[in-house]
Amino acid sequence: MPKSSTKSRSKRVTLRTKHKILKKVREHKRKQNKELKNKLKKGNKKQKITAAVIPNDWPFKEELVNELEMQAKREEAEKERKIAEKKAARVEKRKAIAAGTFEAVKTKAERLAEDFVVKKKERAAMIAAANDPDGSRRAFYREFMRVVNASDVIIHVLDARDPLGCRCVDVERHIIRNNPNKKIVLLLNKIDLVPKENVQAWLKYLRGELPTVAFKCATKTGGSAV
């Protein structure tokens, strides 16, 4: 069995011992800092002269005591004044911060609203461009409005075989809303292609909303409409 060396010993210690040593070092430094602070406080503190430290045989003791009392009152008043000034300064600072915060929030909200409007317009333009790449819808709308503005009476032609399928209520509402003086007349066309009872029922229904006239597409002999 090999013999252990006696010339050198390891300086390694267990973690438990190491943490104990570090803890004691921290406590020692904390104690030293505390003692140093207490010494500095005691060294900076001024000793106040009171009536108890003035000898009784002092010839002007009463005047000196009165002067000390007045000085103490002045110091107390000055201290209260400084406290009040600091308090007022804190209140003004809080008000300024609150006002600045409100203004900042208001400015941010206005900026976000403007960005939202711009993005909304851009999105609407993109949707319109996607739905109408060649601009035919815009051209049709311009032509439609030109015809409406130039007319006094607008005739809305409906197929008697499917009147509601041919009817565009949105166009009628648009004309009534933007041009209340314009007159709209419904024309029920091709009544000769449906039974007479159906024509009468549709005329009764449509005349309850707008003036309606019936129209026949052609005669049996190929003549003009009746």
Side-chain angles (χ1 to χ4, degrees):
M1 183 175 179
K3 295 181 179 180
S4 59
S5 176
T6 58
K7 292 183 180 180
S8 61
R9 292 186 179 184
S10 176
K11 296 181 180 180
R12 292 182 298 177
V13 295
T14 61
L15 288 175
R16 184 177 181 182
T17 306
K18 182 178 179 180
H19 288 309
K20 282 185 177 180
I21 294 172
L22 293 175
K23 185 178 179 181
K24 288 183 178 180
V25 170
R26 286 196 299 270
E27 290 177 353
H28 179 67
K29 289 183 178 180
R30 192 180 300 114
K31 186 177 180 181
Q32 284 183 339
N33 292 334
K34 189 175 181 180
E35 290 178 354
L36 181 61
K37 287 181 180 178
N38 291 335
K39 287 182 180 179
L40 291 175
K41 287 181 180 179
K42 290 179 180 179
N44 294 334
K45 192 178 292 184
K46 295 181 180 180
Q47 185 178 3
K48 293 184 178 181
I49 301 175
T50 59
V53 299
I54 300 176
N56 290 330
D57 55 352
W58 185 262
F60 306 104
K61 180 179 180 179
E62 186 175 355
E63 289 82 355
L64 184 59
V65 169
N66 293 334
E67 185 179 352
L68 292 174
E69 290 178 354
M70 293 294 295
Q71 184 178 356
K73 290 181 180 179
R74 285 194 298 271
E75 291 178 356
E76 187 68 21
E78 182 68 17
K79 185 177 179 181
E80 291 178 356
R81 186 184 64 79
K82 289 182 179 179
I83 292 174
E85 288 180 355
K86 289 182 179 180
K87 186 176 180 180
R90 286 196 300 269
V91 172
E92 292 295 330
K93 186 177 180 180
R94 283 197 294 268
K95 288 182 179 179
I97 293 173
T101 305
F102 176 75
E103 292 296 331
V105 171
K106 183 179 178 182
T107 304
K108 185 178 179 181
E110 292 176 352
R111 185 173 65 255
L112 291 175
E114 292 176 357
D115 294 342
F116 175 77
V117 172
V118 172
K119 289 181 180 179
K120 187 177 180 180
K121 290 182 179 179
E122 292 177 354
R123 193 182 303 112
M126 290 175 62
I127 294 173
N131 295 333
D132 188 20
D134 54 352
S136 58
R137 291 188 179 183
R138 291 192 294 273
F140 174 79
Y141 178 76
R142 287 195 297 269
E143 185 66 19
F144 167 74
M145 291 305 300
R146 186 183 66 78
V147 172
V148 170
N149 294 330
S151 305
D152 295 327
V153 179
I154 294 94
I155 299 177
H156 195 173
V157 181
L158 305 179
D159 194 322
R161 293 169 292 184
D162 185 14
L164 296 183
C166 302
R167 187 178 181 184
C168 186
V169 182
D170 293 335
V171 171
E172 296 175 6
R173 291 174 180 170
H174 179 76
I175 295 172
I176 293 172
R177 182 174 61 252
N178 296 326
N179 302 277
N181 295 326
K182 305 290 183 180
K183 303 298 181 182
I184 301 176
V185 177
L186 301 179
L187 190 147
L188 191 62
N189 192 23
K190 300 182 182 180
I191 61 173
D192 53 331
L193 301 180
V194 295
K196 185 177 181 180
E197 295 79 9
N198 292 1
V199 174
Q200 292 176 351
W202 278 118
L203 288 173
K204 182 179 180 181
Y205 173 78
L206 295 172
R207 284 171 178 170
E209 299 181 7
L210 291 170
T212 307
V213 295
F215 197 79
K216 186 166 55 173
C217 63
T219 62
K220 292 182 180 180
T221 58
S224 60
V226 178

